[in-house]
Amino acid sequence: MNTIEALEQQIVEDFELFDEWEEKYQYIIDLGQKLKPLAAEYKIDDNKIKGCQSSVWLHAYTEADKIFFEADSDSTFVKGEIALLINVLSGQPAEEIVSTELGFVDRIGLRQHMAQTRANGLAAMIKQMKLYALGFQHKTV
Amino acid sequence: MSTTDKNISVFDVAQVRKDFPILLEKAHGKPLIYFDNAATSQKPQVVIDAISNYYSHYNANIHRGVHFLSQKASNAFDDVRFKVKHFLNSRSEREIIFVRGTTEAINLVASTYGRKNVHAGDEVLITAMEHHSNIVPWQLLCEEKGAKLKVIPMNDSGELMMEELEFLITDKTKIISVVHTSNSLGTINPVKEIIVKAHAKGIPVFVDGAQSTVHSVIDVQELDCDFFAFSGHKMLGPTGIGCLYGKAELLEQMPPYMGGGEMISAVSFEKTTFNEVPFKFEAGTPNIADVIALGVAIDYLMQMDRTEALAHEHELLKYAMHHLSKIEGVRLIGTALNKASVVSFVLKEINAFDAGMYLDTKGIAVRTGHHCTEPIMTRLNIPGTIRASFLFYNTFEEVDALVDHVAKAIAFLKPQHA
């Protein structure tokens, strides 16, 4: 398993291939379309993230001291953003997830194309993933 | 001649576009196509210059100073009240109150006329297609007073069900507040008919003109509405300035809204007497620069051939609706017979936000979501729409680009069913 940092670096390098926002958008949509759908049993209100303009459901579980995420949204673009986060964070140890700064989000220039409300949605997703990790971390201690 | 012929218009769009410098901007490196006019209109250079000119040459506080600059600023400011009077055809400039925008105008009337006249058990009547700003202030008032907020329903096309009106207006109705033109559907409501029926029972009517003011010629005496409000920024003026029109006899009996300078006649620690209307409602130093620029926006609108401009907008609307509806997967939302140049639509199996972002990557500015009219979306059972709203400076070629890219967005965003 790669470290969070290495996975972030890979995404940054992928995005360096794109000059235009249009290409980044298309790439993120592509990721969203390929994201494994979340089982219906997890698409419940308890799993909904507050603070997102679009509906986002996030499910987390642990396996061998690692935390795994699955998620879904009614927006394919948001699913693409989630796919990036899942790619980096899913399968990582809780303490790594809690402490990472996720600098790649800024480095790939995602936030600069977003209104504040949308950026807040992305921040809410990251926060929820970290909260899950924090919860699991304390459970195992 | 076909109704969708793009050469039907005689309006000189190319010439008009030269007045709006922002239309030459690029978005993501592509020529900007601005179809978010219902959110805010762009500004002609003369309006932009008016703001800069005021601050560069005669910035001063008004109505108080004895000096040259203050006189000049006061005169420029005061002139605008007469311009608005002329623009709305009110009887007197005293019936024009400067506010920040339509939202503040509604809050002002709900907090003053409403608080004074609406009591426990009374009713306030609005419509199913109000912007949140014409729902929430009345809701707050009704909660405070123990009154009831009632709603004129709408049909699937986005038209008010006027046959319900006679049952909804009761002896308990104290005020009716209706949106003139819907921001999310474009429906032009039969406000005149509502006003006539309301007045038959002695009930005043507030008309929310946020969208209608730029898309029609307003005559408050002909409408005979009791209150009318508009926002400057939606009709070529700056943000942060708008107007409330109220019949003088109503304004005079209303208590003040905010306390402060300008709105008083005499102040002592025991008792304050208030200035006369409209100043009673204009506490504090007003938004002088933006009032002056609003006056220039009004001049601009009144100097153009509005009949031609509005006809051009209507042709754009028909053209867009015709061509969008031909695309498989597009469903138009809001198909009222009487419509302003707003096209709302949804795409089959495609999220409105994703599609809006797709259009944005092509330089096309639309709005997606519920457009601050959640009850409409609930009524139509949709989460939101993609909305393209046109103003006279938009072109048929821009609509062609929209239609082309909507079709491409559908192809690109279509779910890949396994």
Side-chain angles (χ1 to χ4, degrees):
Chain A
M1 187 73 198
N2 277 319
T3 61
I4 289 179
E5 217 168 70
L7 290 162
E8 285 190 90
Q9 186 55 35
Q10 187 54 55
I11 292 173
V12 171
E13 283 169 21
D14 288 346
F15 271 78
E16 276 170 359
L17 299 170
F18 307 128
D19 297 326
E20 303 278 329
W21 162 237
E22 190 174 350
E23 296 165 328
K24 293 181 189 174
Y25 164 86
Q26 289 175 356
Y27 183 67
I28 293 168
I29 289 286
D30 191 44
L31 292 175
Q33 286 175 331
K34 287 177 183 152
L35 183 69
K36 192 179 132 214
L38 187 63
E41 59 184 299
Y42 299 122
K43 282 175 84 168
I44 51 172
D45 276 358
D46 279 354
N47 283 339
K48 252 188 171 179
I49 299 179
K50 290 181 184 66
C52 293
Q53 267 192 330
S54 311
S55 294
V56 181
W57 298 266
L58 180 67
H59 168 65
Y61 61 94
T62 47
E63 234 178 70
D65 291 341
K66 304 270 170 60
I67 298 180
F68 292 84
F69 295 104
E70 291 176 342
D72 210 337
S73 170
D74 52 358
S75 154
T76 310
F77 185 84
V78 172
K79 272 166 77 171
E81 290 177 313
I82 299 168
L84 288 170
L85 294 175
I86 286 181
N87 183 354
V88 170
L89 298 178
S90 192
Q92 300 289 344
E95 59 272 20
E96 299 289 324
I97 296 171
V98 171
S99 62
T100 182
E101 287 179 12
L102 288 179
F104 86 94
V105 175
D106 285 324
R107 286 173 68 198
I108 63 176
L110 203 49
R111 248 192 275 260
Q112 74 193 66
H113 292 290
M114 277 181 204
Q116 193 57 42
T117 46
R118 291 265 313 110
N120 289 347
L122 186 64
M125 281 187 250
I126 295 170
K127 189 177 157 196
Q128 193 57 42
M129 291 171 118
K130 282 175 172 264
L131 280 175
Y132 271 123
L134 204 61
F136 284 122
Q137 199 181 16
H138 284 275
K139 244 192 253 174
T140 52
V141 169
Chain B
M1 192 186 286
S2 154
T3 54
T4 55
D5 192 325
K6 36 174 118 165
N7 299 318
I8 197 168
S9 176
V10 288
F11 185 65
D12 192 352
V13 191
Q15 190 59 36
V16 165
R17 286 178 72 86
K18 289 179 187 161
D19 297 334
F20 294 81
I22 210 166
L23 299 178
L24 294 172
E25 288 292 310
K26 293 216 152 81
H28 305 301
K30 306 193 169 61
L32 170 70
I33 296 181
Y34 187 75
F35 284 158
D36 197 17
N37 293 288
T40 197
S41 73
Q42 297 303 345
K43 324 300 173 197
Q45 188 65 50
V46 283
V47 168
I48 301 164
D49 289 346
I51 296 171
S52 161
N53 190 38
Y54 165 74
Y55 285 122
S56 304
H57 300 293
Y58 61 105
N59 170 51
N61 209 332
I62 55 165
H63 297 162
R64 281 167 268 243
V66 290
H67 55 83
F68 176 80
L69 284 190
S70 179
Q71 287 296 341
K72 191 170 172 183
S74 297
N75 290 343
F77 179 91
D78 292 341
D79 279 351
V80 180
R81 212 184 294 276
F82 286 89
K83 285 181 186 179
V84 178
K85 168 199 176 281
H86 187 45
F87 182 59
L88 298 180
N89 192 32
S90 70
R91 272 153 300 181
S92 160
E93 75 289 350
R94 292 175 58 246
E95 298 180 311
I96 306 300
I97 298 161
F98 291 119
V99 288
R100 280 180 293 169
T102 309
T103 298
E104 189 180 36
I106 298 166
N107 277 281
L108 190 159
V109 174
S111 304
T112 56
Y113 184 89
R115 265 213 192 114
K116 194 176 172 192
N117 294 288
V118 176
H119 304 289
D122 286 343
E123 293 168 358
V124 173
L125 184 59
I126 59 173
T127 81
M129 61 182 89
E130 299 307 327
H131 189 279
H132 294 163
S133 61
N134 201 22
I135 302 173
V136 183
W138 303 113
Q139 233 160 19
L140 290 170
L141 173 71
C142 288
E143 268 168 32
E144 182 189 318
K145 294 289 190 168
K148 196 175 172 196
L149 189 65
K150 290 171 83 175
V151 181
I152 307 169
M154 68 174 203
N155 63 23
D156 292 341
S157 308
E159 291 165 316
L160 290 181
M161 296 165 76
M162 292 295 285
E163 65 276 16
E164 301 285 326
L165 191 58
E166 59 178 307
F167 308 109
L168 288 165
I169 298 180
T170 72
D171 294 341
K172 294 172 182 166
T173 312
K174 286 291 143 56
I175 187 163
I176 300 175
S177 190
V178 292
V179 63
H180 199 174
T181 297
S182 159
N183 69 307
S184 40
L185 305 175
T187 309
I188 301 170
N189 286 316
V191 288
K192 177 82 190 164
E193 190 184 335
I194 295 171
I195 291 163
V196 168
K197 288 192 168 141
H199 285 180
K201 295 206 171 185
I203 304 161
V205 179
F206 186 113
V207 175
D208 168 354
Q211 298 295 332
S212 62
T213 305
V214 77
H215 293 303
S216 56
V217 176
I218 303 295
D219 182 334
V220 291
Q221 288 191 68
E222 201 271 320
L223 272 179
D224 198 25
C225 53
D226 301 274
F227 299 102
F228 185 94
F230 69 86
S231 299
H233 74 93
K234 292 191 199 284
M235 40 144 309
L236 319 184
T239 52
I241 190 66
C243 290
L244 167 66
Y245 156 82
K247 284 182 178 166
E249 58 271 29
L250 292 175
L251 294 178
E252 270 155 18
Q253 53 147 299
M254 280 156 52
Y257 179 48
M258 288 198 284
E262 184 85 16
M263 56 81 73
I264 49 86
S265 170
V267 177
S268 73
F269 287 114
E270 289 73 36
K271 175 80 186 157
T272 294
T273 51
F274 301 116
N275 203 336
E276 53 193 37
V277 293
F279 309 107
K280 182 170 79 175
F281 298 105
E282 295 180 357
T285 295
N287 187 352
I288 305 165
D290 292 326
V291 164
I292 291 168
L294 174 69
V296 177
I298 288 173
D299 288 342
Y300 184 92
L301 278 171
M302 293 189 77
Q303 278 160 18
M304 74 189 305
D305 186 335
R306 293 200 76 196
T307 309
E308 270 190 19
L310 295 173
H312 173 68
E313 286 179 7
H314 195 68
E315 290 305 317
L316 288 173
L317 172 74
K318 280 200 292 182
Y319 186 75
M321 286 181 74
H322 176 78
H323 287 282
L324 282 171
S325 65
K326 284 202 303 194
I327 303 172
E328 200 185 321
V330 171
R331 180 159 66 97
L332 298 179
I333 302 294
T335 48
L337 289 176
N338 199 10
K339 246 175 87 100
S341 49
V342 173
V343 185
S344 249
F345 55 98
V346 292
L347 304 178
K348 192 180 171 190
E349 295 188 301
I350 293 169
N351 180 275
F353 165 73
D354 292 341
M357 256 185 133
Y358 181 93
L359 295 173
D360 174 61
T361 66
K362 309 296 178 187
I364 303 174
V366 294
R367 181 147 170 199
T368 64
H370 56 61
H371 318 299
C372 295
T373 56
E374 278 189 69
I376 293 185
M377 304 306 149
T378 307
R379 163 67 182 78
L380 299 174
N381 198 24
I382 48 175
T385 72
I386 302 157
R387 181 189 72 184
S389 46
F390 313 127
L391 211 58
F392 51 75
Y393 49 57
N394 288 125
T395 67
F396 291 98
E397 289 72 22
E398 288 178 318
V399 176
D400 286 338
L402 172 73
V403 171
D404 179 38
H405 286 302
V406 165
K408 285 178 177 153
I410 292 172
F412 180 67
L413 291 165
K414 209 157 57 182
Q416 297 165 345
H417 293 294

